[in-house]
Amino acid sequence: MVSQSREYRKGPVTLRGRKVPTSTTDQRLLDNAGPNDWVHTDPWRVLRIQAEFVEGFGTLSELGPAVSVFGSARTGPGHPTYELAEVVGRLLVEAGYAVITGGGPGTMEAANKGASQAGGTSVGLGIELPFEAGLNEHVNLGINFRYFFARKTMFVKYAQGFIVLPGGFGTLDELFEAITLVQTGKVTRFPIVLMGTDFWAPLLDWLRATLLEHGTIAGADLDLVHLTDDPAEAVAFVRRARA
């Protein structure tokens, strides 16, 4: 029996109990199994996708200077990374930035909490997922997206930089997309900070020993990220890079 207490966000719509779907909008868009009714439905999907971009642009266009903060949804209160993210959120607000996160729990919640308690704008860009519901309580400006690609555009378009704390696949996805956008010149003067030397140093070592050694990246590409454990240094790096 489906629990009536479970809450599921589908764009701006909230569903509970038996109304909770078994698949996400992104999944249905990308899944090529089943009948070829996509020929008739995909043109209508374009309008929904367009609406998500319009909603995002309209909501965030007057946000002002902002920094996107990424990290694991699984890092709870009391964890050193959670506490670090709170400090990052607070320092960003004190430096004049709004804080943008994915709006979920863990590190995202911590950064939103630090920003909100510092009296700043705490933005959450949520996503329709089968195992996460809604925005954390510290978001004071939130948008729920159906499509990852629309949401990811907002993370970059309205941010002056990324601060990336330890995280999983989603964090790595955002990190490497940002690096690629800078490397290819799609965005300019876009600082990327990695926080947590113990966590990130092995990845950077692998990039040097494998990708650089095989000639698949240039040495200068490794300079696109700044590694630190100090939240004040992270915020200062973002400010200097944008000066």
Side-chain angles (χ1 to χ4, degrees), residues 64-68 97 156-162 189-191 238 242:
V67 173
S68 291
Y97 294 101
V156 176
K157 178 172 176 57
Y158 293 102
Q160 275 66 56
F162 281 3
R189 295 200 310 145
F190 196 85
V238 171
R242 300 294 302 186

Side-chain angles (χ1 to χ4, degrees), residues 36-93:
N36 291 328
D37 60 352
W38 61 268
V39 174
H40 307 290
T41 59
D42 274 9
W44 292 103
R45 283 193 177 119
V46 170
L47 297 178
R48 176 177 284 175
I49 292 167
Q50 176 181 293
E52 291 214 339
F53 279 106
V54 170
E55 188 70 35
F57 293 158
T59 302
L60 300 176
S61 61
E62 298 181 0
L63 180 62
V67 173
S68 291
V69 180
F70 298 98
S72 175
R74 306 184 185 197
T75 303
H79 191 282
T81 302
Y82 187 100
E83 296 174 355
L84 184 64
E86 279 193 65
V87 176
V88 169
R90 174 174 59 80
L91 292 180
L92 284 170
V93 168

Side-chain angles (χ1 to χ4, degrees), residues 1-8 15-20:
M1 181 175 180
V2 178
S3 171
Q4 294 296 319
S5 63
R6 183 184 172 193
E7 183 172 288
Y8 185 90
L15 301 170
R16 294 190 178 97
R18 297 185 183 279
K19 291 295 185 179
V20 174

Side-chain angles (χ1 to χ4, degrees), residues 10 15-16 21 50 54 56 78 80 89 91 95 100 116 119 122 136 179-180 182 200-201 222 227 236:
K10 184 178 181 182
L15 301 170
R16 294 190 178 97
Q50 176 181 293
V54 170
L91 292 180
I100 304 173
S116 179
S122 177
N136 70 68
I179 293 174
T180 302
V182 177
W200 294 112
L222 294 172
L227 180 63

Side-chain angles (χ1 to χ4, degrees), residues 103-234:
T107 303
M108 295 174 282
E109 174 189 295
N112 285 133
K113 181 180 179 182
S116 179
Q117 291 184 346
T121 301
S122 177
V123 181
L125 306 181
I127 185 68
E128 177 191 343
L129 291 175
F131 46 83
E132 288 181 23
L135 300 172
N136 70 68
E137 63 180 341
H138 303 288
V139 169
N140 53 41
L141 177 61
I143 310 172
N144 282 299
F145 290 88
R146 289 182 172 92
Y147 298 103
F148 267 114
F149 52 84
R151 177 187 187 232
K152 290 167 76 173
T153 299
M154 306 303 154
F155 280 132
V156 176
K157 178 172 176 57
Y158 293 102
Q160 275 66 56
F162 281 3
I163 295 180
V164 187
L165 288 92
F169 287 144
T171 302
L172 291 172
D173 176 47
E174 298 292 353
L175 168 63
F176 281 107
E177 179 168 31
I179 293 174
T180 302
L181 290 172
V182 177
Q183 180 200 46
T184 56
K186 295 296 185 182
V187 295
T188 59
R189 295 200 310 145
F190 196 85
I192 303 168
V193 180
L194 299 179
M195 292 211 63
T197 54
D198 289 343
F199 185 89
W200 294 112
L203 174 62
L204 296 177
D205 290 341
W206 178 79
L207 294 176
R208 293 187 189 94
T210 305
L211 273 63
L212 184 59
E213 182 67 22
H214 284 77
T216 56
I217 63 172
D221 293 336
L222 294 172
D223 296 329
L224 298 178
V225 297
H226 180 76
L227 180 63
T228 182
D229 288 315
D230 182 358
E233 180 183 338

